[in-house]
Amino acid sequence: MASVSNTSQASVKGEVQPSGAWLTPARVVLAAVLLLCALQLFFRVSDARAHGEIEGAAALALIEQQPATAVPPSGPLPIGLQASLATVFTPRNGVLSLALCQGPQCRMAYSRAGAAPCESGLAWPALCVAVPSRVNIGDTLKVGYDLQPYLWSALLDLGVTLVLGAGVLLAWRGKQAAPQAAGSSSGSGNGKPGSPAAPLAAGAERDPLTGLLNRVAFEAAVKRHNETGAATASGEADGCLMYFDLDRFKAINDTHGHIAGDLVLKAVAGRLRYTLGNGALIGRLGGDEFAALLTDASTQATIQQMGRVLIEQVSKPIQMGGLTDSVGLSIGAFMLKRGELAVGDILHRADLAMYEAKRGGRGRMMFFEEAMDAASRSRAQIQIDLSKAIENREMFMVYQPQVDAFDSIRGVESLVRWRHPKRGLVSPDEFISIAEQTGLIVPLGKMIIDLVCADLVALRAQRLALPYVSVNLSLRQLADPAFVDEVQEALKRHGLSPTDLEFEITESTAMVGQAAKETATLKRLSEMGFRLAIDDFGTGYSSLGRLLDLKVDKLKIDRVFVAAITKPNFDPALLELMISLAKRMGIKSVAEGVENVDQVVWLRQAGCQMMQGDLYSRPMNHSQLISWLRLQEGDNDFDEGVWSPTMTMEESGV
Ligand code: C2E
Ligand code: CA
Ligand code: CA
């Protein structure tokens, strides 16, 4: 995996002489192996030659011991002599042929079946060795000596040398990679200086806060991994890219400040390093985003298990000076096959999976699936269409009644809908989060307030009473410095007052830091006479002091708690606590998502003051609301169509 040789690191810094630049450890080992091979070959051939000479001398001696009549000066050698040579020089001595030569004239003395007569040098598979006679000066015996056993032996030695060389190289690389994989250093030793995959200077590649690789270095290292080595033959994944994002990190930063936030990031980096071990390459991509490349645990089951441990480790409490707090971890994972995709696509896929993990409820891990890509494209399309939709005012509002203990309507919650020219009706769940991410929620929110005011005025013009309309607000709108002025301006334009509107903010929005501009906006709204409701209560985390400080009027109990009432194993403790908490703080409680009478009975008996849900009415468009209100009018007892503001049971005398 990623490792940096001193040479290549230094070369980036420009400290290494050009002459030393090519002297990489791999090349040194290769040169040593080649040299050993050449020496092996040389010694083996010399060996063969020496043995050939010995055998040749023995053969010559045998010939010269024969009586003169047995070796005629010319013509073929007698069969008897050839036969006795053949009995002595069996194939086992390696002699393939023997030829007795006088000058250029040679006579075959012995030849193993199939062996060619030997002239000089190499006559494969024989090495030709000429042995001069000491008795008859000028005579030589040319021996064809079998080279094959020597070459096989040389080849065997060569294999052993190569294996040993590769072992030395791998051990050296492993030693280099180990400390860096954990983030103490980075980059890969095989990147050529100046090439895109070349490692950066050590200081420039590390994130100064956590010591992990920074984004550029991490991406470069993933690229190197992706481009080097062959993909597995089976086509299975040979690595996993994990993308991490912390849950609740913003809340830590906002509540405890940036120094505490930095301590959290350091602690998380340490836990990632500890849990993933030396086999992983870890980087901090920015903010509270981290990533890791795992190359030695390639099955999905192993990664799944690893993910569980990571979430558990990172979620443990973190000490920040005198404080203790915790964050969660969402993980996206992509099983990669080397060389199949570009690095950008690998990261994008892991990021998409992480996004889905966040959407799925945080604190979990998701593996990339093709459908996520389609969903992301659809989100991208929504993003493109959204600004046009705001310009063309393609949105309209629907309203859902909120009733009190007597089932009398007290107000309505406004919910936005988008009439998309091609896709039809689009739910806010599909586009509000995109509008929040892109900042389009600011112009969209402005339009919503305008639509709500217009609808309320039109309703009252028909002498239908509606004390207030509740409007959902996003955090981003509260951060907009022009928000309060724009709301005031809209009210003035429509001839309404702050008591006509109520703002719903989610629990996490209400809990942003004390000094934040969002808090200042909320306080200003409250002082101006707008009522505030905490939405989805019970799903986030709350500080009672903060709720009191903000002068909240209502707690809207999230519908998951209401739905639980009629489910088996219902535990009433949490719901009872929320309702009594609201009561003690003098705040009204509103149960959301009420769908059946059993829920109403339980909620009333527990002291919940207001209900909202499909049991009373599903969200209605403006004309449906007018008809619905007319129907209700007979049942309600309002003076001149002017309703009292939302009342508690106590206030209404029950
Ligand atoms: P929310 O503010 O919690 O709105 C209540 C959601 O619960 C609405 O979904 C509503 O139709 C649904 N609901 C009401 N009663 C029942 C019930 O008895 N059973 C079930 N299963 N659901 C019920 P909707 O309209 O799709 O809105 C979803 C979310 O979109 C809202 O959740 C809110 O967070 C956001 N949203 C909607 N309109 C606006 C808006 O104008 N501005 C902003 N910023 N966000 C909005
Ligand atoms: Ca709401
Ligand atoms: Ca809600």
Side-chain angles (χ1 to χ4, degrees), residues 269-282:
R271 289 174 191 189
L272 291 178
R273 238 191 318 236
Y274 173 79
T275 313
L276 290 167
N278 284 346
L281 189 84
I282 316 171

Side-chain angles (χ1 to χ4, degrees), residues 402 413-415 470-473 504-506 533-536 556 592 612:
Q402 294 178 344
E413 176 181 2
S414 64
L415 297 156
S470 178
V471 178
N472 289 287
L473 286 189
E504 292 190 12
I505 45 168
T506 60
I534 301 293
D535 205 358
D536 306 340
K556 297 192 72 183
E592 289 188 312
Q612 178 185 345

Side-chain angles (χ1 to χ4, degrees), residues 11-12 191-199:
S11 67
V12 176
K192 289 188 181 71
S195 78

Side-chain angles (χ1 to χ4, degrees), residues 187-218:
S188 160
N190 48 21
K192 289 188 181 71
S195 78
L200 306 166
E205 67 186 10
R206 259 176 269 156
D207 167 46
L209 181 69
T210 59
L212 299 178
L213 298 182
N214 62 26
R215 180 184 274 275
V216 175
F218 181 79

Side-chain angles (χ1 to χ4, degrees), residues 280-300:
L281 189 84
I282 316 171
R284 178 178 170 218
L285 305 187
D288 60 345
E289 283 180 21
F290 298 84
L293 176 69
L294 278 71
T295 52
D296 49 3
S298 55
T299 70
Q300 194 151 322

